[in-house]
């Protein structure tokens, strides 16, 4: 993968915001008191009655069971730069089952989209420009069918071939929400945030089973040099008693990596633990810090344009 421009990297990543801490400011993480505030056919939203933070997750009790060819699906997207295809496979899980079920319930509008091209050869392996809008998405859902969507994933049609004619289906709010979750899906208890203008923002964007109840970046120090002098202190509250490995890696892109470190910590159910990492940063750009502990994944975008000079 080619190195991404720093501003582009920050723009294309999926990020949500929740006030945290930085070099000068340390705001303690709220001990959340979650209350269910909204539901859709498959998805539940909780809101904290103390700090108003929100989290969304799939309720497995609302989702039918799928098996065999219908257990998972593949998403393909014609890359935004106009060449090639990116794919994402969603294996059998609550999310894939919800997507399958919702797709099977979409109603036809009566409108038909004409054929784009008869040339289907190697389309999904294409490294070249395709005769569709940049960002066009396909869903290959086995026995449920093949679907083509506009780049914003707000319009959908069912097709027999990737570039063939299609029957337009009525997009629902639930379907649109599930497709966005699918494109950004990770099988983790997923937290996302940024370090920018001296402040850390961090939120739990996808809830899943983990030995970790919540995480807080208690302190962070970013220097204006590409050195090992950047450090981060993480606080963890445990759901269960367990000895776990925790890792931190930094990178500016797939082919421009910083540092990687792994430690072990002891989690005690209901208790808190802290761990500190020192890591390699990058000069005057945005880069990623990824932290894994048990089934919890934290992705932090560091905007080093405003980093402090020691």
């Amino acid at each position: 993968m080619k190195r991404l421009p720093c501003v582009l990297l920050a723009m294309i990543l999926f990020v949500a915001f929740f006030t945290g801490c930085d070099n000068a400011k340390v705001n303690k993480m709220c001990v959340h008191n979650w209350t269910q505030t909204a539901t859709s056919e498959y998805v539940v939203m909780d809101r904290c009655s103390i700090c108003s933070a929100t989290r969304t997750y799939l309720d497995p009790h609302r989702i039918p069971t799928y098996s065999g060819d219908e257990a998972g699906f593949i998403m393909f997207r014609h890359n935004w730069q106009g060449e090639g295809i990116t794919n994402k496979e969603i294996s059998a899980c609550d999310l894939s089952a919800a997507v399958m079920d919702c797709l099977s319930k979409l109603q036809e509008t009566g409108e038909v989209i004409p054929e784009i091209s008869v040339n289907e050869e190697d389309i999904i392996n294409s490294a070249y420009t395709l005769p569709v809008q940049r960002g066009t998405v396909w869903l290959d859902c086995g026995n449920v069918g093949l679907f083509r969507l506009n780049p914003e994933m707000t319009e959908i049609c069912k097709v027999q071939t990737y570039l063939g004619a299609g029957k337009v289906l009525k997009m629902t709010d639930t379907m649109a929400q599930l497709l966005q979750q699918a494109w950004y899906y990770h099988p983790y208890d997923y937290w996302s945030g940024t370090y920018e203008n001296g402040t850390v923002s961090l939120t739990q964007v996808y809830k899943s089973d983990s030995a970790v109840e919540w995480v807080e970046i208690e302190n962070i120090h970013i220097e204006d040099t590409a050195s090992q002098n950047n450090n981060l202190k993480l606080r963890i509250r445990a759901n269960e008693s367990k000895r776990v490995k925790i890792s931190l890696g930094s990178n500016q892109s797939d082919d421009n990596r910083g540092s990687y470190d792994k430690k072990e910590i002891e989690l005690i159910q209901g208790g808190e633990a802290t761990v500190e990492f020192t890591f390699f940063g990058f000069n005057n750009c945005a880069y990623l810090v990824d932290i894994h502990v048990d089934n919890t994944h934290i992705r932090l975008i560091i905007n080093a344009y405003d980093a402090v000079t020691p």
Side-chain angles (χ1 to χ4, degrees), residues 148-168:
R148 189 171 64 236
L149 298 99
N150 68 333
E152 295 77 23
M153 293 193 289
T154 57
E155 300 172 1
I156 184 170
C157 61
K158 190 171 185 178
V159 295
Q160 293 298 315
T161 61
Y162 294 106
L163 299 179
K167 295 181 178 180
V168 177

Side-chain angles (χ1 to χ4, degrees), residues 57-77:
Y57 53 97
L58 290 162
D59 183 351
H61 301 295
R62 299 166 179 261
I63 302 170
T65 300
Y66 278 73
S67 59
D69 291 340
E70 299 179 358
F73 64 94
I74 305 175
M75 302 181 78
F76 301 94
R77 171 166 255 153

Side-chain angles (χ1 to χ4, degrees), residues 59-225:
D59 183 351
H61 301 295
R62 299 166 179 261
I63 302 170
T65 300
Y66 278 73
S67 59
D69 291 340
E70 299 179 358
F73 64 94
I74 305 175
M75 302 181 78
F76 301 94
R77 171 166 255 153
H78 183 34
N79 292 332
W80 292 103
Q81 68 267 31
E83 292 186 353
I85 292 285
T86 296
N87 68 76
K88 181 159 191 171
E89 184 172 357
I90 311 296
S91 301
C93 62
D94 289 341
L95 178 59
S96 67
V99 168
M100 297 292 194
D101 187 62
C102 197
L103 282 170
S104 67
K105 295 177 181 178
L106 296 182
Q107 301 295 311
E108 295 183 8
T109 66
E111 182 183 356
V112 175
I113 297 294
E115 181 180 72
I116 298 171
S117 173
V118 296
N119 184 12
E120 294 281 331
E121 185 177 356
D122 296 327
I123 180 175
I124 293 306
N125 296 317
S126 175
Y128 304 101
T129 301
L130 299 173
V132 295
Q133 285 182 280
R134 298 180 180 188
T136 293
V137 174
W138 291 268
L139 306 178
D140 187 344
C141 301
N143 291 340
V144 175
L146 178 66
F147 303 85
R148 189 171 64 236
L149 298 99
N150 68 333
E152 295 77 23
M153 293 193 289
T154 57
E155 300 172 1
I156 184 170
C157 61
K158 190 171 185 178
V159 295
Q160 293 298 315
T161 61
Y162 294 106
L163 299 179
K167 295 181 178 180
V168 177
L169 306 177
K170 184 178 180 180
M171 178 65 77
T172 65
D173 290 342
T174 298
M175 187 78 260
Q177 184 182 45
L178 289 174
L179 291 173
Q180 289 295 327
Q181 286 196 25
W183 185 250
Y184 293 110
Y185 173 73
H186 297 271
Y188 308 113
D189 177 49
Y190 195 79
W191 297 67
S192 181
T194 59
Y195 170 94
E196 188 170 11
N197 296 323
T199 299
V200 168
S201 301
L202 184 66
T203 193
Q204 183 183 34
V205 295
Y206 195 88
K207 176 179 176 288
S208 187
D209 291 337
S210 177
V212 175
E213 180 180 350
W214 59 250
V215 294
E216 170 197 3
I217 297 177
E218 185 173 289
N219 194 24
I220 187 169
H221 178 78
I222 304 297
E223 290 194 358
D224 192 21
T225 57

